[in-house]
Amino acid sequence: MPHTVAVLAFDGMAPFELGVVVEVFGLERPELAELDWYELRVCAEEPGRELAAVGGFGLRARYGLDVLAAADTVIVPGATGEVSPALVGALRAAHARGARLVSICSGAFALAATGLLDGRRATTHWRYAGRLAERYPLVEVDPDVLYVDNGDVLSSAGSAAGIDLCLYLVRADHGAAVANTVARRFVVPPHREGGQAQFVEAAVAPVGPGDDGVARSMAWALGRLRAPLTVAGLAREAGMSERSYLRHFARRTGVSPMRWVVSQRVAASLPLLEAGAGSVEEVAGAVGFESAATFRHHFGRVMRTTPSGYRRAFAGRG
């Protein structure tokens, strides 16, 4: 049976996050015809009633909280207001059935209201992190990451981080190759690690005239991940001094050049691990790590598991 995904719609919601869920889980995907793709259900507390969306238009959800409680994955977009007892009950019922609960942005308030995040780590948009921690002091709020995976309950930061978390779910369900296919259609990067910072300052930094060189150097690096890469080499490819390159690169991506390189090498290793292509040592060399030990260290930091553990979980999905 297809995996059912239910997303909550409500009065006053911002449409972007709902659109992200629909884009990832609701579109027909003829390019993935061999898979049983997800079945998406848009749910509301009062199905059929027009809901006001930010931007001056309305929408109606066909399904109610009974359908939400019966789904395999339940996604709650941003909502910082009061959480109704009916919604809390539906979320708890879904979780008790074994459903995966997911929040995007301030949707973490709804998950926290269930008590399922008590004593656990979660994130939300940096703007709401203090409020979430104050309202739900038993939740360990981490405002500095893109998303947090607790297995059964997942949370993401601001709206665009919802794209990262939705692609992460696809990768967990179907493997890196399928997630990459979805990302290509979405025209977004296929993988940003959950532990990457939200980069408040970088999000509003102006684009400088040297940034074209940064993009050129990134494309160059992606084409030769297996080879040794240094800041000096990347700066040379960008036509900048190292100092200038580091400044422009951080403004563009929010991370250092070498941390970005490491994350790209880890991402490149995922399809190889899934396909069973060689030993961990061979995979490490194929994506540019100096040794298996270095590969394991960085893989663990990015993916929160070992290369062998990832292979056991996802073998055959490449």
Side-chain angles (χ1 to χ4, degrees):
M1 295 292 293
H3 184 108
T4 57
V5 176
V7 59
L8 181 70
F10 51 89
D11 259 327
M13 73 180 306
F16 177 83
E17 294 160 9
L18 177 63
V20 167
V21 177
V22 172
E23 176 81 16
V24 174
F25 300 106
L27 292 188
E28 293 186 5
R29 298 195 176 275
E31 69 273 28
L32 299 172
E34 73 280 3
L35 297 177
D36 283 328
W37 200 243
Y38 304 90
E39 287 190 0
L40 180 66
R41 302 284 185 263
V42 180
C43 304
E45 294 196 34
E46 298 179 54
R49 181 175 74 85
E50 181 169 310
L51 304 171
V54 173
F57 64 95
L59 56 90
R60 287 185 174 88
R62 181 179 300 175
Y63 303 99
L65 293 183
D66 57 332
V67 172
L68 182 141
D72 300 307
T73 294
V74 177
I75 303 178
V76 183
T80 59
E82 292 299 317
V83 183
S84 72
L87 177 57
V88 168
L91 292 171
R92 285 177 174 165
H95 183 265
R97 287 183 44 261
R100 182 172 55 187
L101 303 188
V102 180
S103 66
I104 298 176
C105 193
S106 54
F109 284 78
L111 298 193
T114 68
L116 295 170
L117 285 174
D118 289 357
R120 308 173 85 177
R121 186 164 157 263
T123 194
T124 186
H125 192 289
W126 57 267
R127 184 178 180 183
Y128 304 121
R131 193 188 311 177
L132 181 64
E134 181 179 358
R135 189 180 299 181
Y136 300 102
L138 296 181
V139 179
E140 183 187 338
V141 180
D142 186 345
D144 297 323
V145 296
L146 293 180
Y147 53 85
V148 174
D149 178 8
N150 288 302
D152 55 334
V153 185
L154 303 91
S155 53
S156 72
S159 299
I163 301 174
D164 298 293
L165 183 51
C166 286
L167 290 174
Y168 175 81
L169 295 174
V170 172
R171 190 169 72 246
D173 293 340
H174 297 288
V178 172
N180 290 351
T181 298
V182 176
R184 280 195 298 272
R185 184 165 169 181
F186 220 136
V187 198
V188 296
H191 174 68
R192 289 198 297 170
E193 60 186 272
Q196 185 169 320
Q198 293 186 33
F199 308 125
V200 179
E201 297 302 325
V204 296
V207 176
D211 282 336
D212 286 346
V214 171
R216 185 171 64 250
S217 71
M218 293 168 78
W220 174 79
L222 288 173
R224 61 193 313 270
L225 286 176
R226 186 171 185 172
L229 293 170
T230 63
V231 173
L234 289 163
R236 185 168 56 251
E237 186 66 23
M240 301 179 187
S241 69
E242 289 187 39
R243 183 175 179 179
S244 177
Y245 182 75
L246 287 168
R247 184 176 68 254
H248 283 291
F249 195 96
R251 186 176 62 185
R252 167 66 71 87
T253 67
V255 294
S256 69
M258 297 318 297
R259 178 167 177 174
W260 176 82
V261 167
V262 165
S263 70
Q264 297 308 306
R265 284 173 168 160
V266 169
S269 75
L270 301 182
L272 300 180
L273 292 169
E274 292 170 12
S279 65
V280 170
E281 289 75 11
E282 290 169 332
V283 171
V287 297
F289 287 104
E290 295 179 356
S291 68
T294 302
F295 176 42
R296 290 187 179 97
H297 168 76
H298 289 297
F299 193 95
R301 180 184 61 80
V302 173
M303 301 300 297
R304 303 295 195 271
T305 187
T306 65
S308 296
Y310 183 90
R311 171 172 278 170
R312 284 192 298 272
F314 298 105
R317 299 188 185 186

